[in-house]
Amino acid sequence: MANNYRSPTYQELSAPKELDWRPYRSEQYFLYRKQWDERGLNGKARGFPLHLDIDPTNRCNLKCRMCPRTYYLEHGLKGWAPNGPSDMDMGLYVGIIEGSYDKGLRSVKLNFLGEPLLYPAIAEMIKIAHKEGLYVMLNTNAVALTPKLSRELLSAGLTDIFFSFDSPDPRQYEKIRVGAKYDETLDNINSFMAIKDELKLHHVQTRASMVLSEDLDDPAEIVDNYIKLFRSLKVAEIGFGLPTVMGRDYSKLPAPDDFLCPDLFRRMFVFNDGICGPCCGDWERRLLVGDANVDDVSAIWNGKEYQRLRASHLAGDWRGIPACQACSVPFLSACDPLSTQLAYKDGLEAK
């Protein structure tokens, strides 16, 4: 398939024609995606983030074995949540979102380390962002995705939902997603898909993705069964990624000399307490760039900390930043391990 997305750490099987949501999106969406790619390639941040990742809550209903949140809880580490489990203040959220479209924001994803469906007013959050004119996304484990909540999310203006579901095998799934029930979660996803079709929301993107554990006996068979499962549920995209193994020293792997983190130029993360960071993998909060309780997004985006990080990456000095040196992405980018682990079928081809 020509439209498959691929990177060293993640590969995605695009929607077949009958499930494709793209024809139902406006030209504005494709302009936004063009800007997303260009910012990552040319290293120009412009004056405002194109995308915000906002964590409504750092609470979760599962203890997935590969999740950094689970790792930190088991090891008694508190850097990821200095104030413990808590939810974002709605007033803070409204202050971040209102007026953001006119400044250049185009999309928001409502999660980071927590399960967003645990936030009591998650549908209201979606409604506020949708009213602003933003594309509204969220990742969910779907355990709390009841039919009632599914209808509320879709009616509020949700445009993209990504289901994290880590095995087509019930026993393996429940071993990985500790606290979840395979059949119940699949029923939730199936109900969501049915409600989406009932409401004729053909523009809503759906995706199921799994982390390919290093201990899989037969990755090819797992991939094949996973594709069959979610194609039967009519989920549009199907993705496979590699885990970041907590506690592993990735710096011993080779890395490209010209590595440049694209996210520094297009997105920002706002944690549930309003503290801001630049990185999807900086769970321990080593790269803090500001506080949305004190400064507006524009001031943080153009502030000294962000400027310093971007300058270091543009100069090729990212190894001098401890959090970047500890990140798995630049090192996995060099060795491209996922292409050799996946089955070479259904459009998922090795480089």
Side-chain angles (χ1 to χ4, degrees), residues 1 13 39-40 45 103 105 133 166 173 212 221 238 314 333:
M1 292 184 179
L13 185 65
R39 285 203 195 187
K103 296 175 183 177
L105 190 67
D166 286 293
Y173 168 83
L212 288 170
E221 182 180 4
I238 301 174
L314 287 168
S333 296

Side-chain angles (χ1 to χ4, degrees), residues 163 189-198 206 233-235:
F163 306 117
I189 296 173
N190 195 33
S191 294
F192 179 93
M193 300 301 298
I195 293 168
K196 181 182 80 70
D197 288 346
E198 173 198 329
T206 57
L233 296 177
K234 298 183 179 180
V235 173

Side-chain angles (χ1 to χ4, degrees), residues 256-285:
D257 294 333
D258 59 349
F259 175 76
L260 177 68
C261 179
D263 286 346
L264 291 173
F265 305 93
R266 60 194 186 191
R267 75 198 296 190
M268 186 171 83
F269 294 77
V270 185
F271 309 136
N272 64 297
D273 55 3
I275 302 301
C276 301
C279 177
C280 63
D282 186 26
W283 307 297
E284 297 176 65
R285 299 190 178 198

Side-chain angles (χ1 to χ4, degrees), residues 177-194:
R177 295 258 155 192
V178 178
K181 299 297 184 183
Y182 179 91
D183 290 335
E184 292 176 6
T185 308
L186 271 186
D187 284 346
N188 288 344
I189 296 173
N190 195 33
S191 294
F192 179 93
M193 300 301 298

Side-chain angles (χ1 to χ4, degrees), residues 38-239:
E38 287 176 346
R39 285 203 195 187
L41 291 172
N42 63 27
K44 294 182 179 179
R46 308 300 179 187
F48 204 82
L50 191 64
H51 172 87
L52 288 176
D53 293 84
I54 298 177
D55 210 13
T57 180
N58 62 4
R59 296 181 294 119
C60 191
N61 47 7
L62 301 182
K63 293 183 178 180
C64 303
R65 68 181 192 183
M66 70 295 190
C67 180
R69 187 182 186 281
T70 302
Y71 177 87
Y72 293 137
L73 285 171
E74 290 178 348
H75 289 77
L77 304 174
K78 299 181 179 180
W80 66 281
N83 301 313
S86 61
D87 295 345
M88 175 171 279
D89 177 77
M90 182 61 85
L92 172 62
Y93 175 78
V94 171
I96 292 170
I97 295 298
E98 286 190 344
S100 60
Y101 183 91
D102 290 340
K103 296 175 183 177
L105 190 67
R106 291 296 178 266
S107 63
V108 59
K109 192 195 307 187
L110 297 175
N111 70 277
F112 181 56
L113 272 179
E115 167 52 50
L117 300 190
L118 298 186
Y119 189 79
I122 187 63
E124 182 64 19
M125 276 190 164
I126 293 170
K127 185 177 181 180
I128 291 167
H130 176 69
K131 185 178 179 181
E132 183 68 20
L134 305 176
Y135 300 103
V136 193
M137 317 168 186
L138 61 81
N139 285 68
T140 177
N141 57 41
V143 170
L145 189 64
T146 63
K148 179 177 181 294
L149 183 54
S150 293
R151 192 172 295 273
E152 290 174 356
L153 300 181
L154 288 165
S155 299
L158 183 68
T159 55
D160 306 80
I161 187 167
F162 310 132
F163 306 117
S164 298
F165 197 95
D166 286 293
S167 178
D169 177 79
R171 292 181 62 183
Q172 186 178 50
Y173 168 83
E174 293 180 7
K175 181 180 178 181
I176 296 170
R177 295 258 155 192
V178 178
K181 299 297 184 183
Y182 179 91
D183 290 335
E184 292 176 6
T185 308
L186 271 186
D187 284 346
N188 288 344
I189 296 173
N190 195 33
S191 294
F192 179 93
M193 300 301 298
I195 293 168
K196 181 182 80 70
D197 288 346
E198 173 198 329
L199 297 175
K200 295 180 169 49
L201 298 176
H202 305 302
H203 69 284
V204 173
Q205 178 188 185
T206 57
R207 182 179 75 205
S209 57
M210 70 171 289
V211 174
L212 288 170
S213 305
E214 295 183 322
D215 58 356
L216 292 178
D217 293 331
D218 191 344
E221 182 180 4
I222 290 290
V223 166
D224 187 38
N225 291 339
Y226 194 85
I227 292 171
K228 289 177 181 177
L229 173 63
F230 282 99
R231 281 287 177 258
S232 73
L233 296 177
K234 298 183 179 180
V235 173
E237 266 85 28
I238 301 174

